[in-house]
Amino acid sequence: MNWYKITKEKVEPVSISINELKNMICDYNKRDFYFLDNRINFDISSLTIKKECLIGKFDHIKSIIFLERSFLISDSFDFNDFKQFNEDIYQANDTQPSSHHIIILEFIFFQVLKTFDKEFSVCFDSYLNLSDKYDINSSFIRLQTTLLNLEYRVKEFKNIPQNLLSNPEDLTQITFGIVFVEDVEQIIENYNFKLDDVYNDISKLIREMDNVQKIANIKLAKDRNKYALFNLYISFISLSFSFGSWIGSLFGMNVNNFVEDSLYSFPMITGCSCILMTFIIFSQCYYLKNIK
């Protein structure tokens, strides 16, 4: 990926290294450029304010913003959109600050927000097109994972405007003394509100998918309970037959156990059999009544 150099006059790709960019900054340190390394890809957003520039990673956009020129790198959009954005924003509001670095910062916010909106729209359409929302299959899990990752990215990016709005010193530094703080604050607040809307929409869809997953799990648990009750019913019937087999075996033994010599053995066994059969019948009736 190439860096893009953006000035008021033009946008052009440039071949430049991190070391060359470092030489343009007098008060940099190593950790300021940690996020700009192409070998490091993670969904963390960060903004560092220096004396003469802004160093930031805004979701998928990495940038070094000077007062008169900026260097940006990203593989997600066409930087030539900047010219059209620059024209549209001045036509919409003539009171917007004219400083190059504020325009670039707003352009980055606009592009990132546009990316979030587009990705959420794709996820939302995919959710609506699911054939059966209560079928927790691989497509559902992938969509849920994508939404969670998008929520995390939006939350990370939201930290930048929130930190600026909560720290007046940083908000003042970002103007470099050439732009009114109130104008910059208004721009950042507007995008912060829009990010809140996107974040809330994503959170709502995630909660809805969580509820669908919970309902599906409840249905599965209900089906498992039905199978368990049916298995218990079969086991109870088997136990009932085993009692009958045991009673019959008392009369059918072919070994001497002295039961046949007792005058009371037959009445006792018959009485025990009646008691057991009565217990089995009442148990079956109780079980059938409760299972319904």
Side-chain angles (χ1 to χ4, degrees), residues 84-141:
Q84 185 62 44
F85 171 82
N86 199 13
E87 294 176 0
D88 292 342
I89 200 169
Y90 277 100
Q91 290 177 358
N93 191 350
D94 294 334
T95 62
Q96 292 290 340
S98 58
S99 175
H100 171 79
H101 74 287
I102 297 299
I103 296 174
I104 291 293
L105 189 64
E106 186 176 1
F107 172 67
I108 292 173
F109 275 46
F110 173 79
Q111 289 289 352
V112 174
L113 187 62
K114 180 180 176 181
T115 300
F116 289 154
D117 275 330
K118 183 178 179 180
E119 292 184 19
F120 175 72
S121 297
V122 172
C123 291
F124 187 74
D125 292 340
S126 299
Y127 176 73
L128 294 179
N129 292 330
L130 289 175
S131 57
D132 185 3
K133 294 182 177 62
Y134 295 99
D135 181 17
I136 310 300
N137 52 23
S138 58
S139 298
F140 186 94
I141 299 300

Side-chain angles (χ1 to χ4, degrees), residues 138-150:
S138 58
S139 298
F140 186 94
I141 299 300
R142 283 197 300 270
L143 179 58
Q144 193 175 40
T145 303
T146 302
L147 275 172
L148 289 172
N149 180 58
L150 181 59

Side-chain angles (χ1 to χ4, degrees), residues 22-221:
K22 289 179 181 178
N23 293 332
M24 301 179 185
I25 306 170
C26 62
D27 59 337
Y28 78 91
N29 54 55
K30 291 183 178 180
R31 65 175 177 272
D32 294 335
F33 289 86
Y34 180 70
F35 295 110
L36 303 182
D37 194 335
N38 292 332
R39 297 169 298 179
I40 300 174
N41 293 309
F42 40 76
D43 299 320
I44 295 179
S45 297
S46 172
L47 175 63
T48 303
I49 304 173
K50 295 297 181 179
K51 292 181 180 180
E52 53 193 6
C53 70
L54 305 175
I55 303 174
K57 180 181 183 297
F58 306 88
D59 191 54
H60 56 283
I61 303 175
K62 303 173 183 179
S63 63
I64 300 178
I65 305 171
F66 295 91
L67 291 179
E68 299 297 333
R69 66 191 188 282
S70 302
F71 297 90
L72 283 73
I73 185 171
S74 175
D75 58 349
S76 300
F77 61 89
D78 185 3
F79 283 100
N80 290 308
D81 292 342
F82 171 72
K83 290 184 178 179
Q84 185 62 44
F85 171 82
N86 199 13
E87 294 176 0
D88 292 342
I89 200 169
Y90 277 100
Q91 290 177 358
N93 191 350
D94 294 334
T95 62
Q96 292 290 340
S98 58
S99 175
H100 171 79
H101 74 287
I102 297 299
I103 296 174
I104 291 293
L105 189 64
E106 186 176 1
F107 172 67
I108 292 173
F109 275 46
F110 173 79
Q111 289 289 352
V112 174
L113 187 62
K114 180 180 176 181
T115 300
F116 289 154
D117 275 330
K118 183 178 179 180
E119 292 184 19
F120 175 72
S121 297
V122 172
C123 291
F124 187 74
D125 292 340
S126 299
Y127 176 73
L128 294 179
N129 292 330
L130 289 175
S131 57
D132 185 3
K133 294 182 177 62
Y134 295 99
D135 181 17
I136 310 300
N137 52 23
S138 58
S139 298
F140 186 94
I141 299 300
R142 283 197 300 270
L143 179 58
Q144 193 175 40
T145 303
T146 302
L147 275 172
L148 289 172
N149 180 58
L150 181 59
E151 182 188 39
Y152 173 76
R153 287 165 53 201
V154 175
K155 185 178 180 180
E156 280 292 318
F157 183 72
K158 268 171 55 65
N159 289 332
I160 294 178
Q162 286 177 349
N163 290 337
L164 288 173
L165 293 173
S166 61
N167 293 282
E169 293 183 1
D170 291 343
L171 198 60
T172 303
Q173 287 180 358
I174 206 174
T175 65
F176 293 117
I178 59 176
V179 183
F180 290 116
V181 177
E182 293 78 10
D183 292 336
V184 178
E185 185 177 14
Q186 184 179 1
I187 294 173
I188 295 174
E189 281 182 348
N190 290 336
Y191 282 99
N192 189 47
F193 289 143
K194 293 177 182 179
L195 284 168
D196 283 336
D197 291 338
V198 174
Y199 184 79
N200 291 334
D201 290 340
I202 296 172
S203 299
K204 287 178 183 178
L205 184 56
I206 289 176
R207 287 196 297 270
E208 182 175 344
M209 295 186 72
D210 288 339
N211 291 333
V212 168
Q213 197 169 21
K214 289 177 182 177
I215 293 173
N217 290 334
I218 291 173
K219 289 184 176 181
L220 290 174

